[in-house]
Amino acid sequence: MKILVIGGGGREHALAWKLRQSPRVEKIWCAPGNGGIARDAECVPVDTKDVAAMVSLAERLHPDLTVVGPEQPLVLGIADEFAKRGLPIVGPSKEAAQLEGSKVFAKEFLMRRGIPTAATYGVFDSSGVAHTALSAVQWPVVIKADGLCAGKGVLVAPNMFEASAFIERLMEKHELGPGGDRILMEAALRGEELSYIVLTDGEQILPLAPARDHKRVFDGDLGPNTGGMGAYSAEGMIPATLEKAILETIVRPAIAGMAAEGRPYQGFLYFGLMLTPTGTKVLEFNCRMGDPETEALVVRMEFDLAAVLEAVATNRLGSVAPLWRPAASVCVVMASGGYPGEFQVGKKIDGLDAAAAGVPGAVVFHAGSRVETGKYYTSSGRSLVVSASGSSLQEATRAAYDAVGKIRFEGAHYRRDIGIRGAARVRASEE
Ligand code: AMP
Ligand code: GLY
């Protein structure tokens, strides 16, 4: 098989790295990729906002399968254009990708299908009406831009002042673009978040191992939101009864509901869940794999991912049984100085070989790096994602941080508590 991976971050590096291990894969391209991904795939330039350019690329390369990392090409309709030309692709159609492309669509879908989610205060097209509505909400309130805003379109607002300022930024100053012209307001849910990702061919469902992201920049979940500072996945991180309930009350009704509404969903579907005291509720959908959840999950996949993705693209998912081993994994994001605010790039990265070779079970994925005469330099806010697996969460965490400790670049910062609370919880549930 020849596989084209669309995207150029840590998630796409992790996918390429895992796909390359398949005996049936003879070639991997990553478009556009990045300096570090070039170790595992041939990187080819492409603008991931330009569907026509991605179609021409695929027509030139003739991959047997294309896997799409980020949401934007899917929301723009890459899967429809590939399907029209008989190019096999893993990823939902434009209509199905609305689950991520429009928070209003997603919320109305959840309510129509009776899938548990936060109660809503309404949808607003005018900032005046939105400001007025704030007088009748309970605090905190959650404000969500309807359209894609590169992960910056949601605020859990603690008070009127912050809520009004966010509405102004979205709807009056248009700071996040057209995605913010319409907003949704909903009740804030309390509890622990869980990333529950499944693969589906539209009918059959293959759940991946559950994972947990760490969105805040500082230890103890403090500081501003980021694209994700690390993730973990572990056997036993949620009880089997809870997983069964998630599948029965959320996942199956969602996949069946999309099919029933004439938008059959094919590809990765990410359920952002809140485990509340009154049951699990859906916070959001993503029409793709999570980042950095992918970097944690791939090191536990003891199955042929290429075969599974081929089964998704050809509607034969039913025959696949995945094995997750070892029992746990952790990934730690190494970010550039200043991230998630203004950050510096172009810093030389040292210690990559020592980290990869010196720590069994560890692997370094590049989220944003470029290579110049054999040396790597940072090129984005999140630069590296260091993953490790182990027979327990403690072991995986130790290995990941051992590897992180061998890597240096000026201004690098990372959280020191990824997986630590999870380890305590898994232990407690075993007692
Ligand atoms: P995004 O990934 O940009 O859609 O943002 C989703 C994040 O916002 C989630 O991971 C939660 O941390 C938070 N969030 C979204 N909806 C709610 C809600 N109803 N209650 C509490 N937090 C929420
Ligand atoms: N880890 C959250 C996301 O991929 O959106």
Side-chain angles (χ1 to χ4, degrees):
M1 275 172 89
K2 295 181 179 160
I3 303 183
L4 170 62
V5 177
I6 301 281
R11 167 184 49 211
E12 290 75 25
H13 192 183
L15 290 171
W17 173 86
K18 181 62 201 171
L19 290 167
R20 205 180 88 158
Q21 294 170 6
S22 166
R24 69 177 78 197
V25 171
E26 59 164 292
K27 173 86 193 174
I28 298 182
W29 297 277
C30 190
N34 68 43
I37 295 178
R39 287 183 168 191
D40 289 295
E42 182 184 334
C43 294
V44 279
V46 82
D47 176 359
T48 56
K49 292 189 284 304
D50 183 346
V51 172
M54 291 179 279
V55 168
S56 341
L57 179 68
E59 284 182 326
R60 180 161 64 80
L61 301 176
H62 276 293
D64 299 298
L65 188 66
T66 297
V67 184
V68 185
E71 63 279 9
Q72 194 170 39
L74 294 162
V75 171
L76 292 173
I78 187 176
D80 310 68
E81 294 305 317
F82 274 49
K84 269 187 218 158
R85 292 165 178 81
L87 294 161
I89 187 164
V90 175
S93 67
K94 184 176 183 167
E95 294 252 286
Q98 283 298 295
L99 281 180
E100 177 167 2
S102 166
K103 303 254 191 230
V104 173
F105 172 80
K107 178 61 76 179
E108 288 173 350
F109 170 77
L110 288 165
M111 296 195 308
R112 264 198 308 280
R113 310 311 304 187
I115 299 170
T117 185
T120 162
Y121 293 112
V123 174
F124 303 92
D125 292 296
S126 123
S127 68
V129 183
H131 285 297
T132 309
L134 290 177
S135 60
V137 303
Q138 280 196 344
W139 302 96
V141 72
V142 183
I143 298 177
K144 299 185 169 184
D146 181 39
L148 294 185
C149 290
K152 299 192 174 73
V154 176
L155 180 73
V156 182
N159 54 46
M160 179 77 83
F161 177 76
E162 290 191 28
S164 296
F166 192 57
I167 291 174
E168 196 178 307
R169 287 181 52 215
L170 290 176
M171 303 184 84
E172 293 163 34
K173 299 186 179 153
H174 306 283
E175 276 180 28
L176 298 180
D181 290 347
R182 180 153 78 141
I183 63 163
L184 172 74
M185 260 189 238
E186 67 181 35
L189 298 175
R190 268 178 242 276
E192 201 143 23
E193 288 187 47
L194 184 75
S195 307
Y196 198 83
I197 307 170
V198 306
L199 261 168
T200 175
D201 56 12
E203 206 175 313
Q204 304 288 328
I205 298 166
L206 180 83
L208 305 187
R212 185 164 279 130
D213 189 6
H214 296 63
K215 288 209 160 102
R216 304 292 183 132
V217 68
F218 300 127
D219 288 9
D221 293 330
L222 299 175
N225 258 324
T226 68
M229 294 298 288
Y232 69 88
S233 167
E235 222 166 67
M237 74 185 266
I238 59 169
T241 46
L242 175 58
E243 182 152 14
K244 192 159 171 271
I246 290 171
L247 280 167
E248 280 168 13
T249 63
I250 295 172
V251 175
R252 286 190 216 290
I255 305 292
M258 289 297 279
E261 296 188 8
R263 305 179 188 230
Y265 192 101
Q266 183 260 58
F268 290 103
L269 182 55
Y270 172 127
F271 296 79
L273 304 176
M274 188 73 97
L275 310 179
T276 81
T278 55
T280 303
K281 298 186 178 157
V282 177
L283 292 176
E284 54 154 350
F285 290 106
N286 293 316
C287 60
R288 49 168 176 80
M289 278 293 272
D291 194 348
E293 288 91 335
T294 307
E295 292 92 311
L297 288 171
V298 291
V299 298
R300 287 189 67 206
M301 287 181 180
E302 204 174 83
F303 55 87
D304 185 338
L305 181 63
V308 172
L309 295 183
E310 189 181 33
V312 169
T314 53
N315 296 320
R316 288 183 295 106
L317 190 52
S319 52
V320 172
L323 189 61
W324 295 88
R325 214 163 49 196
S329 61
V330 171
C331 72
V332 178
V333 172
M334 297 185 75
S336 296
Y339 177 82
E342 254 176 60
F343 53 83
Q344 303 172 330
V345 296
K347 305 297 180 192
K348 184 160 163 289
I349 307 171
D350 289 311
L352 287 170
D353 290 336
V359 185
V363 40
V364 182
F365 297 119
H366 290 238
S369 77
R370 63 186 171 78
V371 62
E372 219 177 274
T373 57
K375 299 199 164 48
Y376 291 88
Y377 297 84
T378 61
S379 69
S380 69
R382 291 187 295 172
S383 306
L384 301 173
V385 186
V386 180
S387 297
S389 56
S391 59
S392 67
L393 206 41
Q394 291 90 325
E395 199 181 295
T397 307
R398 205 174 312 122
Y401 281 105
D402 270 359
V404 166
K406 296 186 192 303
I407 300 174
R408 285 195 167 70
F409 59 88
E410 193 192 319
H413 67 97
Y414 55 88
R415 277 181 62 159
R416 284 153 211 273
D417 64 348
I418 307 295
I420 286 168
R421 279 201 299 160
R425 201 168 315 105
V426 172
R427 255 198 322 273
S429 74
E430 282 165 358
E431 277 161 9

